[in-house]
Amino acid sequence: MLNIHNLSISFGGEYLFEEISFRLSAGDRVGLIGKNGAGKSTMLKILSKEQEPDSGQIAMDKEVRIGFLKQDIDFVLGRTVLDEAYEAFIEIKKIERDIDKINIQLAERTDYESESYNQLITDLSDLTHHYEVLGGYNYQGETERVLQGLGFAREDFNKLTDTFSGGWRMRIELAKLLLQNNDILLLDEPTNHLDIESIIWLESFLKGYTGVVVIVSHDKMFLDNVTNRTIEISLGRIYDYNKPYSKYLVLRKEMREQQLATQKNQSKQIEQTEKLIEKFRAKASKASMAQSLIKKLDKIERIEVDEDDNAVMNVSFPISKQPGKVVIEADSIGKTYGEKQILKDIDLLVERGAKIAFVGQNGQGKSTFAKIIIDEITHDGELKLGHNVEIGYFAQNQSEYLDGEITVHETMINAANEKNRSKVRDMLGSFLFRGDEVDKKVKVLSGGERNRLALCKLLLEPFNILVMDEPTNHLDIKSKNVLKEALKSFEGTLILVSHDRDFLQGLTNTVYEFKNKQIKEYLGDIDFYLEERRINDLRDIEKKDKHEKTISNAKETAKQSYQDQKKLKSLNNKLSNVESKINKLEREIKEIDIELAVNYDETIAKPNFFDGYQKKKDFLASLMEDWEVLQEEIELLSQ
């Protein structure tokens, strides 16, 4: 479908990638990975023909349609959600306008017998037929179906897009791409700003997509769940394997170890040959043998070991001072924007050392509540901070507050004080800004590099409570892992607003879900929350089916009352068996969760780990459904 041959592009005299080649075919779901600044977004722009490479060729089949979801979306102000989504149908909308023009002319003219009037009738017939072929009579219903699938309510359709948050705008853009039936989807950080439920929906859609998908993402779990191929850009080269991300890492490590072993053996052989050459050179009778060995040595193709770019941030968040036991106390907190109420009567008490995750759909008030905690916005109710509390805050768009016209070094110097100004260069080095890189202007940095700079700047101020709103957006996977380990070691209080399931795993012990202006507490980690929500969702979805099944069972029981005791005994045996399986599975899943928390990297490296882990969870959910049905039948028979 698409061939890339000897592609090269450079910036400032340095190659992002040089003479790389690969092919994309239908069914490929590619995870395009690499460090911040490696050239991933640039590659997508080249594939979408938004940017020209320095050299190389891109060949594709005729009439291939490419859809490109960018990190930054520009919307025309004044359009409704429906109007913006309809922009997916450019040709259909043009035909609609042409049909309207002809109809106006036909209504105004009276020269019914003229040749030009008959031509208008012919043109109208042709346009109407083409309109039907393109699906003009179905596109509005299809648009509404996709928007609702992405979480929009029908009452949202006629609201202006500029009243929605970035995450919801991203969904509109995604809806447009899905409605266009593109052959190739290029998705640059599609999960940024999406809530967890939307990510799960997107995973499901992409798994069934028959075209080509190329995804730039730093969400390991998303990549593992969606992709079947990984292309890594590293140090100007690419590494291409038909494996999802985690399996690719294992395979790449094994291959590199094999390369090292083979290179070591070859080096020994070369060393021995060189010794023989030196030995034979000293004897005239052996000179011909020495020349023969030299020729043989020249023909040897030296084995090269793939280079790894292992540079990572060095981050730690020291606690400033010890605060009191209660660090945050919220009483009847509410927030309204105009006529729209976001939060209502929120009560919350946070104790010292708590590790908390805020989750929920976009627009439900997570970021709003974070801003209330740091006293950035006005609100109803009372929020009190405890004794000695000092808050560090990382905003969702923190990098946007950086001045693009000054350098990386100037950014830090301007924010530093007399005590830490001398440490600025060392701090920047810890965040991978070394040598001449500190003299780069902020505006030329990639999204991930700007986020790293914003994190570095955050450490210039002391704190014992850390409030972070989507800190992993744009960060590469290695940097995210470093940040996660730093937060695990943070001895203060942590509040995280995040959609990144993998990042949240093992990092927090309490989850607050924001929904319908309220919050709901889940005393467990993100996996516990997702498991609870999935069970509840299944109950809601299948409530009607189970009700009908219960009625059917009740009627059957009434007809066969003489078999009640026998059937009740059988049901109780089945229930006991199901409960035994549930208890066993819950213990196994709990043990895996503990293993993940203690030794994540080694655990996920096990063959088929994620497949086995997910099967256990799916089987547990199925057993819970069986348990409910059996329990209902037993209750009916016992009445």
Side-chain angles (χ1 to χ4, degrees):
M1 186 175 283
L2 193 148
N3 280 309
I4 294 88
H5 182 65
N6 286 344
L7 207 65
S8 299
I9 192 164
S10 60
F11 287 101
E14 293 185 9
Y15 279 102
L16 272 180
F17 35 82
E18 184 176 11
E19 295 188 351
I20 61 174
S21 301
F22 58 93
R23 175 182 172 82
L24 298 174
S25 304
D28 281 345
R29 298 193 299 273
V30 180
L32 185 61
I33 65 170
K35 290 185 62 177
N36 296 136
K40 303 182 297 296
S41 295
T42 301
M43 175 63 78
L44 291 190
K45 289 176 183 176
I46 291 172
L47 295 179
S48 69
K49 298 186 176 179
E50 278 200 4
Q51 185 171 333
E52 289 291 326
D54 294 342
S55 61
Q57 295 177 332
I58 299 178
M60 66 180 70
D61 298 341
K62 291 181 179 179
E63 300 180 357
V64 166
R65 294 165 297 182
I66 298 177
F68 184 17
L69 183 71
K70 307 174 189 176
Q71 288 184 19
D72 303 312
I73 301 171
D74 295 322
F75 277 103
V76 176
L77 298 179
R79 284 182 185 159
T80 65
V81 171
L82 269 181
D83 288 338
E84 185 63 46
Y86 288 157
E87 290 298 306
F89 305 97
I90 296 172
E91 192 172 357
I92 287 177
K93 298 299 288 182
K94 182 181 181 301
I95 293 175
E96 281 184 345
R97 291 192 295 270
D98 291 342
I99 289 174
D100 288 342
K101 287 178 183 177
I102 292 176
N103 282 326
I104 291 170
Q105 291 183 60
L106 290 173
E108 293 174 346
R109 294 175 61 163
T110 56
D111 54 334
Y112 307 124
E113 302 300 325
S114 69
E115 186 176 334
S116 61
Y117 190 90
N118 286 328
Q119 185 60 49
L120 284 175
I121 296 293
T122 302
D123 291 344
L124 181 61
S125 176
D126 291 343
L127 285 170
T128 303
H129 175 70
H130 191 39
Y131 184 76
E132 184 177 1
V133 170
L134 291 174
Y137 297 111
N138 302 320
Y139 81 92
Q140 292 179 335
E142 182 68 8
T143 300
E144 292 182 10
R145 184 186 69 80
V146 171
L147 286 173
Q148 285 179 312
L150 285 168
F152 288 93
R154 189 167 290 276
E155 54 265 29
D156 294 328
F157 290 170
N158 293 315
K159 293 178 182 177
L160 297 178
T161 58
D162 32 306
T163 64
F164 286 86
S165 65
W168 287 99
R169 291 190 187 189
M170 180 73 79
R171 295 185 205 200
I172 300 171
E173 191 68 14
L174 187 58
K176 287 160 64 177
L177 291 181
L178 305 187
L179 289 164
Q180 288 168 350
N181 293 320
N182 293 292
D183 302 297
I184 299 174
L185 281 180
L186 307 175
L187 307 178
D188 196 356
E189 298 285 8
T191 61
N192 277 3
H193 311 299
L194 287 184
D195 55 69
I196 291 173
E197 290 182 1
S198 302
I199 293 171
I200 293 171
W201 184 91
L202 180 58
E203 286 177 355
S204 177
F205 172 84
L206 293 177
K207 284 177 186 177
Y209 185 73
T210 56
V212 172
V213 187
V214 182
I215 304 166
V216 171
S217 178
H218 300 130
D219 185 332
K220 289 193 291 188
M221 193 172 289
F222 180 73
L223 290 173
D224 280 334
N225 289 343
V226 171
T227 64
N228 54 21
R229 180 178 172 189
T230 300
I231 297 178
E232 180 180 11
I233 302 176
S234 177
L235 300 173
R237 298 181 60 188
I238 64 165
Y239 302 91
D240 186 356
Y241 295 95
N242 290 320
K243 299 286 182 184
Y245 178 74
S246 292
K247 291 180 179 178
Y248 156 75
L249 287 183
V250 174
L251 185 61
R252 173 120 193 265
K253 183 181 178 183
E254 289 174 353
M255 293 189 70
R256 195 169 187 277
E257 287 172 352
Q258 288 175 2
Q259 286 178 334
L260 284 167
T262 308
Q263 186 191 55
K264 188 176 180 180
N265 289 334
Q266 187 188 63
S267 297
K268 285 182 179 178
Q269 291 175 3
I270 291 171
E271 186 180 352
Q272 289 173 355
T273 304
E274 287 173 340
K275 286 180 179 178
L276 283 174
I277 290 170
E278 290 301 316
K279 183 178 179 181
F280 292 159
R281 270 178 176 166
K283 298 179 180 179
S285 61
K286 303 286 187 179
S288 60
M289 292 182 67
Q291 288 301 317
S292 176
L293 287 172
I294 289 170
K295 289 179 181 178
K296 182 181 177 182
L297 199 60
D298 289 340
K299 290 179 181 179
I300 292 177
E301 189 173 333
R302 305 295 171 109
I303 294 169
E304 293 184 3
V305 177
D306 295 336
E307 288 186 75
D308 271 341
D309 190 351
N310 289 316
V312 293
M313 298 188 300
N314 179 20
V315 190
S316 64
F317 297 102
I319 188 171
S320 56
K321 62 177 74 168
Q322 193 77 330
K325 184 179 180 182
V326 176
V327 292
I328 300 172
E329 190 172 357
D331 183 22
S332 299
I333 297 295
K335 180 61 184 176
T336 304
Y337 291 102
E339 296 181 358
K340 187 175 182 180
Q341 187 160 34
I342 305 296
L343 300 170
K344 183 180 179 182
D345 294 332
I346 302 294
D347 296 327
L348 179 66
L349 189 143
V350 178
E351 293 188 347
R352 179 182 63 227
K355 310 295 181 186
I356 294 170
F358 286 175
V359 302
Q361 285 191 340
N362 293 319
Q364 293 293 328
K366 305 184 300 294
S367 297
T368 298
F369 195 70
K371 290 175 182 176
I372 289 172
I373 290 173
I374 65 165
D375 199 24
E376 186 175 295
I377 57 176
T378 58
H379 56 87
D380 299 325
E382 185 179 6
L383 188 134
K384 292 188 293 186
L385 299 179
H387 179 65
N388 277 344
V389 163
E390 294 178 333
I391 298 180
Y393 175 58
F394 187 90
Q396 185 176 141
N397 58 343
Q398 189 74 41
S399 61
E400 294 176 14
Y401 294 115
L402 302 174
D403 186 349
E405 296 302 322
I406 63 176
T407 67
V408 170
H409 185 252
E410 288 169 342
T411 299
M412 289 291 288
I413 288 294
N414 293 348
N417 54 40
E418 291 182 4
K419 291 182 179 179
N420 55 30
R421 191 167 284 119
S422 61
K423 300 177 182 178
V424 161
R425 280 196 175 269
D426 289 339
M427 291 176 68
L428 285 171
S430 296
F431 282 78
L432 302 183
F433 295 105
R434 295 163 184 162
D436 294 340
E437 290 180 337
V438 301
D439 296 321
K440 284 183 178 179
K441 285 195 173 183
V442 171
K443 65 182 179 182
V444 304
L445 301 178
S446 70
E449 288 170 328
R450 286 197 297 269
N451 251 27
R452 289 210 312 262
L453 178 57
L455 280 169
C456 188
K457 186 180 174 185
L458 173 67
L459 290 174
L460 289 169
E461 297 292 335
F463 52 80
N464 47 35
I465 295 181
L466 187 50
V467 180
M468 307 190 86
D469 192 352
E470 303 290 5
T472 61
N473 281 355
H474 307 296
L475 283 183
D476 61 64
I477 293 172
K478 287 182 179 178
S479 296
K480 279 195 343 185
N481 290 339
V482 172
L483 176 60
K484 182 173 180 176
E485 290 305 313
L487 293 176
K488 279 183 179 179
S489 302
F490 178 54
E491 296 178 357
T493 304
L494 178 63
I495 298 176
L496 273 175
V497 180
S498 181
H499 66 274
D500 192 327
R501 295 158 294 172
D502 178 72
F503 184 71
L504 288 174
Q505 279 181 330
L507 198 49
T508 61
N509 49 33
T510 305
V511 175
Y512 285 100
E513 180 187 36
F514 285 67
K515 191 174 184 180
N516 298 327
K517 309 178 186 66
Q518 299 292 314
I519 61 173
K520 182 177 180 180
E521 184 181 52
Y522 292 81
L523 295 174
D525 64 4
I526 192 65
D527 287 333
F528 174 78
Y529 160 74
L530 285 173
E531 193 170 316
E532 289 289 300
R533 290 288 284 112
R534 183 159 57 244
I535 291 170
N536 289 336
D537 289 344
L538 283 171
R539 285 175 179 162
D540 292 338
I541 291 167
E542 297 183 1
K543 189 179 292 181
K544 183 179 178 182
D545 292 340
K546 288 180 180 175
H547 180 63
E548 291 172 354
K549 189 169 184 177
T550 301
I551 292 172
S552 174
N553 287 336
K555 289 179 179 177
E556 187 66 20
T557 302
K559 289 178 184 178
Q560 301 178 351
S561 58
Y562 65 93
Q563 294 182 352
D564 280 357
Q565 293 303 317
K566 184 178 178 181
K567 189 172 183 179
L568 188 61
K569 183 178 179 181
S570 174
L571 288 172
N572 277 315
N573 287 337
K574 287 181 181 178
L575 185 67
S576 178
N577 185 35
V578 168
E579 286 177 343
S580 176
K581 290 179 179 178
I582 288 172
N583 290 333
K584 184 184 177 189
L585 266 176
E586 285 179 336
R587 285 196 302 272
E588 290 174 359
I589 291 171
K590 186 67 177 176
E591 287 172 3
I592 295 172
D593 289 339
I594 293 170
E595 192 177 355
L596 278 169
V598 173
N599 204 336
Y600 178 82
D601 289 332
E602 287 187 15
T603 304
I604 65 169
K606 293 178 182 177
N608 302 319
F609 168 77
F610 282 105
D611 290 341
Y613 186 43
Q614 190 59 48
K615 281 180 183 177
K616 287 181 185 291
K617 288 196 168 187
D618 292 342
F619 187 36
L620 178 60
S622 174
L623 287 172
M624 292 297 290
E625 292 178 59
D626 294 343
W627 184 90
E628 287 185 64
V629 173
L630 288 168
Q631 191 68 39
E632 287 173 354
E633 290 182 6
I634 289 170
E635 288 175 4
L636 281 169
L637 283 171
S638 300
Q639 287 177 357

